[in-house]
Amino acid sequence: MAGLMPAMMGIVLLCAPAVGVETVIPGAASKAVTVDALVSQAQAVRQSGDLVGARELLTTALRHDPGHAEARSALVLVASQMAGRAPELAGDLPEGDLHLQATLAEVRMQVARAELLAASNRFEDAIVLLAQSRVALQPHIQQQAVRDEAQHIDGLLAAYRERHLVSHDQDARSGRLAARTAAEDRRRLSLQGTAAVLAERIARVEKLEQKGFIESALAACRLLVDEYPENQRVEKLYAHLVKRSHLQRALSISEQRDELLQETMERMERSLIPTGFDGWPSFPDDFAQRHTLRGDLDAPVKLDSVEEALNEKLATRLSYNLVEQNAIEVLNALAKQAGVNLVIDPSVAAAGDAVVTLKANDITFRHTLSWICRLANTRWYVDRGAVYIGGEQESKPLLAIYDVSELLFVPKDQVGKQLAFAGAAAGAGG
């Protein structure tokens, strides 16, 4: 008997549950998981949007502890969310005020939707739903259940606003970091590209030097010096090529000094040319108008309204048959028909009557003027909004830029033969 008592007491201790100890779920792998832990896990899963997983966890918790009140209320809330209706809570209003009951049910549904939105990090939409629910409860704030629900909504609003600010700050910080990283990458690629271009150009200059084309290499290196004035490698290559050029031409010390002085003055001249932020020269606004020799690929010069209207009138097409007609009378009639201002120089009338014979169909007024003036042995041009026939066009003052750099340098002395007199005249100083 004395030996059986400790064994029986051990059996009783193992079988009887201790008072005040949480129910332990059998089958745990590493440590015991309590019902409260399952309920907390189910709440977290429900807030993340997984209602099926939350229901399974709560069902497991109630299977081991059927009297757990928090698990039952959480299961009711999950079931109501899955069914799309408001849950029946302990603080509901008594039957009678159907409008208030409907309002409270709709508010609870919106709160459940707001929690699901917040679980997917859509805090702005959740805050809008909670704010609408809070406004809907304001007319019935005298009821205790309504006040409890409003307090719950206020707590959610405060929490979601704080989380929204944190998420917004994190997104902004991530955006700034991504923009900075992208800018650094672009800057690094730009520097690598610039360095690669410079290395390629230096290699070409060195290749010219290896072939013995010193002057061509020096001309190419001058461009590098202008574009990269602070690059020490370019400066050393430039000085080396200048020295090679002097040795190749076998210049004297004074000639080398003059060459170096001229190179320095040319670099100063090029450095004084104003350039923009992109490194290209800055031209004045009317630079295109100062240069009359324009290529076909250049942009056309914009004309004023008067010149545009005159060009349109000169493009008017006419058909006529002139047989021994006076040139001045024909020009006046055609100009009146085309609506062009015509000015005839007095020297044309003083030269006598010029008779023209011309037949044309669908020809422009510009070509008509050219043919009639050619037959009348004169010419025409457009000046100040009118067509002028005969005479000499007055020259207009034009501001232009001229390169006077050649006037600033002393011409180079060329190596040649020395001449002298020989014989008796040399002794007499002839």
Side-chain angles (χ1 to χ4, degrees), residues 283-294 298-301:
F283 298 99
D285 298 335
D286 57 344
F287 180 80
Q289 299 178 1
R290 299 179 186 179
H291 297 74
T292 56
L293 299 178
R294 300 178 56 84
D298 293 341
V301 180

Side-chain angles (χ1 to χ4, degrees), residues 67-335:
H68 201 281
E70 186 178 357
R72 285 186 173 278
S73 60
L75 185 59
V76 171
L77 182 58
V78 170
S80 63
Q81 287 185 352
M82 295 180 66
R85 55 180 177 79
E88 297 180 0
L89 302 180
D92 285 348
L93 297 173
E95 297 293 338
D97 194 348
L98 297 179
H99 178 67
L100 185 56
Q101 290 283 351
T103 302
L104 193 59
E106 184 177 359
V107 166
R108 287 172 178 168
M109 290 179 63
Q110 289 187 350
V111 170
R113 289 179 56 194
E115 291 179 353
L116 294 178
L117 291 173
S120 58
N121 294 330
R122 297 174 57 183
F123 297 107
E124 293 184 358
D125 299 336
I127 290 172
V128 170
L129 285 178
L130 292 177
Q132 294 175 356
S133 304
R134 187 65 176 81
V135 172
L137 291 178
Q138 190 61 31
H140 312 286
I141 201 65
Q142 296 83 6
Q143 300 291 336
Q144 181 63 34
V146 175
R147 286 197 297 270
D148 295 340
E149 192 67 27
Q151 185 177 2
H152 176 61
I153 292 175
D154 292 339
L156 291 178
L157 277 173
Y160 290 165
R161 284 169 180 167
E162 183 178 358
R163 293 176 63 183
H164 174 62
L165 290 177
V166 173
S167 176
H168 185 271
D169 292 342
Q170 291 179 353
D171 294 340
R173 191 180 300 108
S174 301
R176 290 194 298 269
L177 182 60
R180 177 182 176 182
T181 304
E184 291 178 352
D185 293 341
R186 290 194 299 269
R187 175 61 177 172
R188 183 170 58 256
L189 291 177
S190 177
L191 291 177
Q192 292 176 358
T194 303
V197 170
L198 177 59
E200 177 64 23
R201 295 179 66 179
I202 291 177
R204 293 182 180 181
V205 173
E206 293 176 347
K207 191 68 174 179
L208 290 174
E209 181 188 3
Q210 293 176 3
K211 293 180 179 180
F213 303 146
I214 305 300
E215 295 298 331
S216 300
L218 182 58
C221 193
R222 289 193 185 100
L223 300 177
L224 291 179
V225 169
D226 295 338
E227 297 180 16
Y228 304 94
E230 298 180 358
N231 193 288
Q232 297 298 325
R233 184 181 178 185
V234 175
E235 288 288 343
K236 292 180 180 179
L237 180 61
Y238 174 72
H240 171 69
L241 290 175
V242 170
K243 187 175 180 180
R244 284 288 307 273
S245 175
H246 293 170
L247 294 176
Q248 187 183 42
R249 290 180 290 170
L251 300 181
S252 62
I253 299 299
S254 60
E255 290 174 342
Q256 292 184 14
R257 179 182 178 278
D258 294 339
E259 285 279 347
L260 292 176
L261 180 61
Q262 184 173 355
E263 290 282 348
T264 304
M265 296 184 68
E266 288 179 356
R267 289 188 60 181
M268 292 177 59
E269 178 195 6
R270 292 193 297 268
S271 64
L272 292 176
I273 298 177
T275 56
F277 68 92
D278 53 355
W280 291 93
S282 298
F283 298 99
D285 298 335
D286 57 344
F287 180 80
Q289 299 178 1
R290 299 179 186 179
H291 297 74
T292 56
L293 299 178
R294 300 178 56 84
D296 297 336
L297 298 180
D298 293 341
V301 180
K302 183 175 178 55
L303 302 176
D304 55 7
S305 58
V306 177
E307 293 183 358
E308 289 181 355
L310 183 58
N311 289 333
E312 291 292 334
K313 294 178 181 179
L314 290 176
T316 304
R317 295 189 174 273
L318 305 172
S319 298
Y320 47 81
N321 186 7
L322 305 176
V323 180
E324 295 182 357
Q325 298 291 328
N326 186 279
I328 297 178
E329 295 178 356
V330 169
L331 289 174
N332 288 327
L334 294 178

